[in-house]
Amino acid sequence: MKHQVTLNINGSEHEIFVEARKTLADAIREECGLTGTHLGCEHGVCGACTVLMDGQPVRSCLMFAVQCNGVPLRTVEGLADGDDLHPVQKAFWEHHGLQCGFCTPGFLMLATSVLEQEPDIDDEALREVLSSNLCRCTGYQNILIAVKAAAEEMRG
Amino acid sequence: MWVGRRLRRFEDAALLRGEGRFVGDIASGSAAMRFVRSPVARGKILDIEIPKGASVITGRDLEGVGTVMPLLHRDDFIAVEQPVLPLTEVHFAGQAVAAVIAPTAEEAEDFADQVFLEIDPLDPVVGLDNALSPDAPLVHEHVPGNSIIDSNMTTPGFTEAFEPAPFKVSVDIRSSRQSAMPLETRGGHAAFDASTGRVTLSAGTQAPHVIRTAIADVLGIPEADLRVVAPDVGGGFGQKYCLAVEDVVAVWAARRYRMAVAWIEDRRENFTSSFHSRDQHYLVTGAFDDDGKLVALEADIRCNVGAFSCYPVTCGVEALMAMAEMPGPYDFREYSVRARAVTTNACPIAPYRGVSRPVITMTLERLMDEAANRIGVSEVEIRRRNLVTEFPYTSVMGLVYDQATYIESLDRAVELIDLDGFRKEQEESLTKGKYIGLGLSTFSERTGYGTSAFAARSMDITPGFETVEMTMDPSGFVEVRVGASSHGQGLETSLSQLVADELGVRPENVRIVQGDTDRTPYGWGTFASRSAVLAGGASKLASHDMRAKLAAIAANELEAAVEDMEFSEGSVKVRGTDVAVEMSKLARIAYHKSNQLSLGSTPGLSVSATYDPHGTFSNACHAAVVEVDLETGAVQIRRFLVVEDAGILINPLIADGQVHGGVAQGIASALFEELVYDENGNLLTTSLMDYLPPTMSEMPLIEIEHLVSISDATITGAKGLGEGGAIGAPAAVINAINDALRPLGVVLNENPATPERVRRHIARAQGA
């Protein structure tokens, strides 16, 4: 049986009909055509599928689409403002915080949410939060440098 | 000059916006293929029960389809044939047996769950030691002793040098089975085009041309009927270099049913069925003279390669590389070696970043530290006495080492890590019951293997050369089509920088085209730290030809001598004057006023060049400082230093990124990651909760310093460096742990040094 769900992603409404078992990640990718959200493990460990739900980072592979009816969601496609990249995106570019780019959307969303909520977060706490996600290419060093640079930029 | 600049990457603009195109993105919305995989390690297939209403492909359907049989032409090699889908027998848990096609991934999974494989289980061969025991069953009946490769070599003077040596130091090194574990799992999308009869396979691959050859050969179709595209690829590290039988089935189905269909592996399948790595055991004895000089080395190399041989390189690559490259950066003239590639009922092995060299390096570096202790010299001194210092140097295996900085990198690392200061700190710490240790790892990294280097292994399919096609279009924009296939290495940026310098244009006016068999010349893809050297070298050669064409037109236009043409900032000018013409104007002439070209000139601006060097050696010294918690066995890395030499760096930002990533995988290998089979051959580590790649919390800051050797073994001056981090780091970390625990008499020679394993070694040393 399919259910009608309205996904509110990056300010746009997507009316979709999905089975109850459809994960939020699959719904975002397949039903809404936003393929920037990636799936690395589908068991909630790698964090590549991280999106923001009401401003909080969630693993979209561990949520069902039917749980997210009408809730404001943000994905990587909503980070930039037209041609202007978000400070976190700019910092990842400047500091080589990505290589293959597969984990990148998840890290960008995770970093965005933490910097929006705790702009003055200290290094240790930041490392702890960023340890939620996996990257296989960078060894994390440049991701940390990038997020710290973005934090500075966002504090102004 | 653009070479040498830390230019941010062209690749990132799309990736940062979520606009990359990975296989899973291309597959979104198309029919899904789900594989039904063997639940047992070894058994006879009795029946495959297919649920009502399901579209299922089994080995019976693939009539006329060949097998996968990579070959080495050598007497000590036995080929193993792998059916695309097996008809009679399964050889490892996770082997694809049938494929279900359904409109969506969910439906395909539902049907796959209902396919019943009736298999009569047989006793599996699990693990190296079991496979080599005299009464072991045979994994493949035609492979005696389960050894696909059994190769021996002894230098004539070995015994004479080895026997009388005053110091014989032995190490017994084990590196566990691991996974390259790219964050994007494998997958392929095969789409039939009715208008041409061709199939386009978009696949997560490092080598689109090689995969096309493989699939066309197995299916018995012309290569022209298949286009292979590597879109954005989410990491490979070797796992996506070799042929996936699943891609063969997908292309077969797309042709047979005239459809588009995609298989996207889940993480569990990536662990059970996607190529594994390492799983090696080396028993090595070094014979040292009174001065601590290594005079002879005896090595017994055993590599568990799993059930089948990977295409195209074969399972021989691990053992043969270990045999040939065992000497590393050290000079010794007498060598006796036996190298075996051992087949077991486990997932096949394929090269993973560094291939055998992480284990070679761990072996040699453990040997050096143990020898230093026995002989009573420092760990620095023993290395200094044995490192190669004169170049070119020809190793006991006949490899020619080009200019490098083995001693210099060691000395610099010792200085930067402040070895003397550390020894004082270590002594003080010990009085407080704190166990800290320092480990060194000095190594070479053979990179940019050309055809001659691979031919030495007698490969049926011999990789090596790289070709570049370069075109300047009428607007003056440069397109460079390469057979290499970047999947995170930033090749589009690095090659643009290189070509920009050669042609005197800006990097953003150079577009690199890669990863598409319809668009690029035949090439070997990206692996073995080769792309900067080979695609870079070919780009440089092509640029020279392009310059010659442009110079001829410019000389005619400017009424000056060809030799006086100078290229810079998008123009060609007469040397020493202000007389210049824009390159875009020359391009217009080449295409639109070809009547003005000198007699015999071809209209247009297209050139092609091939580069095929023998190879070049990068080198580095890693230094790690660790603290071991005796109570928990946990190892914390306090400092990690890399002094490395990859010649001229095209883009230092990208180069450092490669070092960071390599070191992270090396540390992962040393401390965390292990694929574990139970005694029945079932993989126990099938999720990211059981197999533990490091997170940011486990990673130390990596300090990097570059040295620059000028080598004539590479025309760009660039040596490869993609694998070095992963090659050197395990040895540095394991040596540091041994250094920390030496007061307790602990000798730890296996990785990963998990808390449990460290505790076990401590308990054993304490006689508990």
Side-chain angles (χ1 to χ4, degrees), chain B residues 321-356:
Chain B
M321 178 192 277
M323 184 174 183
E325 298 184 22
M326 180 61 86
Y330 296 109
D331 166 61
F332 58 88
R333 303 315 306 171
E334 303 298 340
Y335 184 34
S336 178
V337 57
R338 180 181 189 188
R340 281 174 282 183
V342 180
T343 179
T344 64
N345 292 110
C347 179
I349 292 274
Y352 166 36
R353 204 172 199 166
V355 200
S356 296

Side-chain angles (χ1 to χ4, degrees), chain B residues 665-679:
Chain B
Q665 284 182 318
I667 288 174
S669 187
L671 294 180
F672 306 112
E673 296 182 13
E674 184 169 20
L675 291 165
V676 182
Y677 279 102
D678 71 10
E679 70 276 15

Side-chain angles (χ1 to χ4, degrees), chain A residues 21-22 29-30 35-36 38 40-43 45 76-77 80 82-83 85 89 92-94 96 98-103 108 127 130-131 134 136-144, chain B residues 8-9 12 16-18 22 24-25 28 106 110 179-181 183-184 233-235 237 267 352 487-488 653 657-658 660-661 664-665 673 687-689 694-697 699 701-702:
Chain A
R21 65 174 173 174
K22 191 87 169 175
R29 290 176 52 80
E30 293 161 18
T35 53
H38 296 155
C41 72
E42 295 174 281
H43 51 248
V45 179
V76 66
E77 289 90 347
D83 286 343
L85 292 180
Q89 290 171 309
F92 267 64
W93 200 351
E94 212 55 57
H96 191 29
L98 65 156
Q99 289 182 28
C100 81
F102 195 79
C103 74
L108 293 174
R127 279 180 82 101
L130 294 177
S131 295
L134 294 177
R136 195 57 163 168
C137 295
T138 64
Y140 304 105
Q141 190 154 326
N142 288 347
I143 292 179
L144 184 63
Chain B
R8 60 179 197 173
R9 305 192 317 170
D12 295 352
L16 285 165
R17 290 170 171 270
F22 295 87
D25 307 336
S28 187
E106 290 92 335
D110 287 347
S179 172
M181 210 217 87
L183 207 65
E184 177 203 42
V233 176
F237 316 108
R267 183 52 64 187
Y352 166 36
H487 44 283
L653 187 67
Q658 288 293 310
H660 293 157
Q665 284 182 318
E673 296 182 13
S687 82
L688 288 169
M689 271 135 356
T695 71
M696 192 181 284
S697 291
M699 279 302 300
L701 179 84
I702 299 160

Side-chain angles (χ1 to χ4, degrees), chain B residues 28-49:
Chain B
S28 187
S30 80
M33 177 177 277
R34 176 80 183 178
F35 286 91
V36 182
R37 298 183 179 277
S38 174
V40 297
R42 186 177 188 209
K44 294 272 179 220
I45 301 173
L46 302 178
D47 192 26
I48 301 174
E49 236 173 77

